[in-house]
Amino acid sequence: MQLWLVLAIPIALMTGWFYTVTVVQARFPTLREKAIVLLVAHPDDEAMFFSPTVLSLTRPSLGNHLKILCLSNGNADGLGATRAQEIKASAILLGLRSESDVLLVDEAAFPDSMAVTWSPSAIATLLNDLFTKKAPKARKQASATIQDEAPKATIDVLITFDKYGVSGHPNHRSLYHGAVEWIKGLMKGKSGWQSPVSVYTLTSTNIQRKYIGALDAPLTMVLSLLDSLGGKDRTLPNRILFLNDVLSYRTAQKAMTQAHRSQMLWFRWGWISIGRYMFVNDLIRQKIT
C-alpha cells in the first residue's frame, strides 16, 4: 500500500468526524434552559454511556441545570464507598456545576447485580418523591379541583437508558420501566394535559455499531435527520443527537481514567478507545400513554 494512501485514510476519517460534529452542533436541535436529570444505575454509567449528552447539555451557553441521580453505589465488588466518591469527581469533569448535583441512592431495593431486575414501582416511587410537585396540604381534600389542574414536577427532562439498556444489564433496563411508570402515575386522571416531564432514552445499537467509535457518527446523523423531518418542536425535539469532538472525547476518557480509577480493568480500555457511546449519543423522546 502506498504511503499517501496510508496517510490519507486517517486524515479522511478525522475530517469526517470534525465535519459531522460541526454540523450537529450548529444545526441539530438541542435542549435549552431546562432542569434535567440523568437517571443512571451505577457510578461510571454517566461517563461510559452518557458523556456526549452530559458534556453537551452542561455547556453554559445552553442555560441548562443538569443533575445526576444514580440508584446504586456500585457495591457489587465491595467498592461502594470508593465509587460514590468517584462519580462526584467524574461529574465535575463532565461539566456539572457542583458535587451536590449528584444524588446517589444506597438502598437495599437497588442492589448492583447482573442477576437482579429492580422494581419499576420502587423506582417510580423514588422519582415521585424527588421530583413530583405536591399539592399544598390545605388543598388535598379538594380532589376534584386538583384533578382539573395540570400535573406539576420540579424537572423538565429525564434522561435514561432505553428498555434494552445498551449493554443488556438488568439494572439499566429497569430504569426505563421505572421512568415510564412514574410518568403514567404523574398523568393518572390528567387526561387532556401534557406531561410536565419529557423522558428521553439512549438508543441501544447492535454489537457491530457499538464498537466502531466515531465511525458511527455519520450514520447516526442521517438516521436522526430522517427521524426529525416531521418534527416541529425544536425546544423538545423527538430525537436529539450529541457528539463528542476530540477535546470532549478526551474529557470523557479522563472521567474514566482519572475519576473512575477503580473501574479501569483491562477491557474498559478497549471501551473508552473504540466504544461508540464515548463518541455518539442519540436520544429519543418517549411517547408515554
Side-chain angles (χ1 to χ4, degrees), residues 105-123:
V105 176
D106 182 15
E107 296 182 2
F110 308 120
D112 175 12
S113 173
M114 282 291 295
V116 177
T117 298
W118 295 341
S119 164
S121 296
I123 297 170

Side-chain angles (χ1 to χ4, degrees), residues 242-254:
F242 297 119
L243 302 179
N244 276 341
D245 59 21
V246 175
L247 292 178
S248 296
Y249 167 62
R250 288 293 296 128
T251 299
Q253 285 188 320
K254 290 177 181 178

Side-chain angles (χ1 to χ4, degrees), residues 122-139:
I123 297 170
T125 298
L126 177 64
L127 294 174
N128 185 68
D129 292 342
L130 291 173
F131 305 124
T132 299
K133 189 176 291 186
K134 308 298 191 301
K137 291 184 178 180
R139 299 181 59 195

